[in-house]
Amino acid sequence: LFIEAPDASSSPTPIEELLSPRQQQVARAAIRRGPLGAIARELGISIDAVRIHLREVYRRLGVSSRIELAQLLRT
């Protein structure tokens, strides 16, 4: 999966280079629109950890919501 880097560079950047493996897992779980508690249980981490990972995913990908995240990852 390729996406445009948040700094609007001319070449697309693979999501694997922008996000850690755990951040990728959280991002995929988040776009399935599950509540944070369900994501935490699915991944075996705390709700606070989900929040932290999701905040960093948003920052690295330049999005501000799960809707934007889903649109970015599905394109």
Side-chain angles (χ1 to χ4, degrees):
L1 175 62
F2 289 88
I3 58 170
E4 290 295 322
D7 65 356
S9 65
S10 58
S11 61
T13 305
I15 192 171
E16 291 81 12
E17 289 182 11
L18 291 174
L19 302 178
S20 71
R22 180 60 93 183
Q23 289 166 346
Q24 292 174 46
Q25 290 175 328
V26 170
R28 288 186 187 106
I31 64 172
R32 289 193 298 267
R33 299 180 190 228
L36 295 181
I39 295 169
R41 282 189 300 277
E42 176 185 333
L43 300 177
I45 59 178
S46 71
I47 292 174
D48 287 335
V50 172
R51 283 188 185 112
I52 291 167
H53 286 305
L54 200 50
R55 191 173 330 153
E56 185 63 14
V57 166
Y58 288 177
R59 186 188 71 76
R60 289 184 182 195
L61 299 182
V63 299
S64 59
S65 70
R66 288 188 192 195
I67 293 170
E68 289 179 15
L69 178 63
Q71 290 170 341
L72 182 66
L73 295 181
R74 290 184 177 152
T75 57

